[in-house]
Amino acid sequence: MTTRRLSAVLGVLLAATLTHSGLAPTAAAAPAGSGHTAGTPTRTAARPPAQYLYSSIGDFDTEAKPLIDRPDIAGVQVVVPWKALEPQKDQYDFSAVEEALACLQARHKKLFVQVQDRFFSAPTRLPNYLLTDPEYAGGAAPTTNESGLGPGEPGAVAAQWNPEVRRRFQSLLKALADRFDGRLAGVNLPETATQVDPGKDRSGYTDESYFRAELDNMAFGAKVFKRTKFIQYVNFWPGEWNNDHGYMARTFEFAKAHGVGLGGPDVLPNRQAQMENSYPFFERYRGLLPMVAMAVQEPDFEYTNPSTGKPYTKEEFVDFGGRRLGADVMFWATSAPWLHQPAS
């Protein structure tokens, strides 16, 4: 399994928000906060964010393991597909996570797990029952994947807006918490950006129902993970640009109220698309969230700094992620050039 993905840039590509369908009370209770509150800064020059590796669970042995003994690496974030964790309905397989955790604990390092319910290329690694049982109405929606780097391959996202699909996903989160709460440093859900293909969708997707479902999962995760940090990646919301539907403001206020950490899949200093979506809210909510976790993933190394015209350096990534966005931890793709040089 590859971890490479194209971060979807939404808003200008999608239609305005459609009429929502009713969801669970937790999501419906989302505050309408404006995101204007300023918090006490959590980051100083003397305390930069902790640096972690980022890898798919399938590449842990070949890509992450050779680098984990570096003294400048605090641990690893592994991306694990839903299907790998639940190969059959109500039959969970956490053996790969246990193996990675044991390996890291032996070296006094920490483990984060990203539970993946969306895929930016084939195959769709969701449980077969979810895709075939009529109870789940297909279980997923097809997606298109555009980014600042151009068009990507077709993919799919679990239909979390379907209450039965969401119930199964929350059962997985509960099983993970029962096994790993307090043992993992953190568990995170993937980015909010998605681009459901309206011409092929048969799941009843709307931007509003998707938004409310994601908030419901956020609240549920924070409820069942009491000692392990629970984090939602947020970068863009479908149908929104520059908070014009209030989704971004409501997300940050909801996270603060429910004790959910936030983060994102890309650190791209001063990129206009990000600066008009999630980045300003990370600055406004410094010190108000239980954790901020930012990732520097493979596509990020292909962007150039608009100020210099050159690829971003490690120092630029760390400075922006820590000083501007308030990151407590940063997850690095194992292809990061600095990881293949001697540790300073």
Side-chain angles (χ1 to χ4, degrees):
M1 165 188 164
T2 179
T3 59
R4 182 175 178 81
R5 68 136 186 66
L6 291 175
S7 175
V9 178
L10 302 177
V12 296
L13 302 175
L14 297 176
T17 303
L18 304 175
T19 304
H20 67 77
S21 57
L23 292 176
T26 304
S34 63
H36 64 278
T37 308
T40 302
T42 58
R43 183 73 47 238
T44 67
R47 184 171 161 250
Q51 309 302 319
Y52 283 70
L53 303 173
Y54 150 76
S55 169
S56 72
I57 190 67
D59 293 331
F60 178 82
D61 285 345
T62 57
E63 293 188 1
K65 200 170 181 179
L67 298 170
I68 59 177
D69 289 323
R70 290 178 61 104
D72 50 2
I73 292 299
V76 179
Q77 178 203 47
V78 291
V79 180
V80 191
W82 184 348
K83 184 176 183 178
L85 296 169
E86 189 186 13
Q88 297 184 52
K89 189 174 182 179
D90 287 323
Q91 295 184 18
Y92 300 108
D93 182 357
F94 300 145
S95 58
V97 177
E98 287 282 12
E99 290 172 11
L101 181 60
C103 175
L104 291 166
Q105 287 180 329
R107 293 165 168 82
H108 306 288
K109 309 274 182 164
K110 297 179 180 180
L111 179 64
F112 282 73
V113 171
Q114 177 169 313
V115 183
Q116 196 72 8
D117 72 335
R118 60 207 60 201
F119 305 94
F120 297 89
S121 61
T124 299
R125 292 171 291 278
L126 295 170
N128 289 336
Y129 77 83
L130 205 69
L131 303 175
T132 59
D133 191 326
E135 180 180 4
Y136 306 106
T143 59
T144 60
N145 298 309
E146 296 279 343
S147 81
L149 297 173
E153 298 179 54
V157 58
Q160 297 283 1
W161 49 94
N162 178 322
E164 296 305 318
V165 173
R166 193 166 69 258
R167 187 173 293 113
R168 294 304 313 160
F169 188 70
Q170 292 182 0
S171 293
L172 170 62
L173 294 180
K174 178 64 165 60
L176 272 171
D178 289 345
R179 181 77 165 262
F180 293 106
D181 190 29
R183 301 173 63 202
L184 298 174
V187 169
N188 75 280
L189 302 185
E191 64 191 80
T192 53
T194 193
Q195 293 173 264
V196 170
D197 188 335
K200 298 179 180 179
D201 177 48
R202 301 293 182 270
S203 69
Y205 169 89
T206 69
D207 296 338
E208 180 73 14
S209 64
Y210 170 73
F211 170 73
R212 292 161 65 85
E214 294 297 281
L215 261 58
D216 193 54
N217 284 337
M218 287 168 59
F220 184 87
K223 178 181 178 180
V224 296
F225 285 97
K226 297 178 173 60
R227 293 174 292 165
T228 289
K229 298 293 186 185
F230 188 78
I231 301 155
Q232 171 70 60
Y233 275 0
V234 56
N235 48 355
F236 305 93
W237 281 108
E240 173 173 275
W241 198 259
N242 204 13
N243 196 43
D244 61 3
H245 287 75
Y247 290 160
M248 197 64 70
R250 290 168 64 190
T251 301
F252 276 76
E253 194 62 23
F254 188 88
K256 185 182 79 168
H258 288 80
V260 179
L262 295 177
D266 299 294
V267 178
L268 293 172
N270 300 313
R271 296 288 302 189
Q272 183 177 358
Q274 281 78 9
M275 293 302 295
E276 293 181 2
N277 286 280
S278 63
Y279 283 2
F281 289 89
F282 282 108
E283 295 187 75
R284 294 175 197 176
Y285 278 76
R286 288 175 63 91
L288 301 178
L289 301 170
M291 175 171 278
V292 172
M294 302 299 298
V296 186
Q297 298 186 353
E298 295 92 333
D300 302 342
F301 304 119
E302 299 180 32
Y303 285 88
T304 57
N305 186 332
S307 300
T308 66
K310 300 178 180 179
Y312 292 107
T313 65
K314 177 193 176 184
E315 291 72 23
E316 288 169 336
F317 282 127
V318 172
D319 179 69
F320 191 85
R323 181 177 57 82
R324 288 287 297 277
L325 304 182
D328 299 288
V329 299
M330 291 180 67
F331 305 121
W332 293 84
T334 56
S335 59
W338 67 271
L339 288 171
H340 302 278
Q341 300 170 0
S344 59

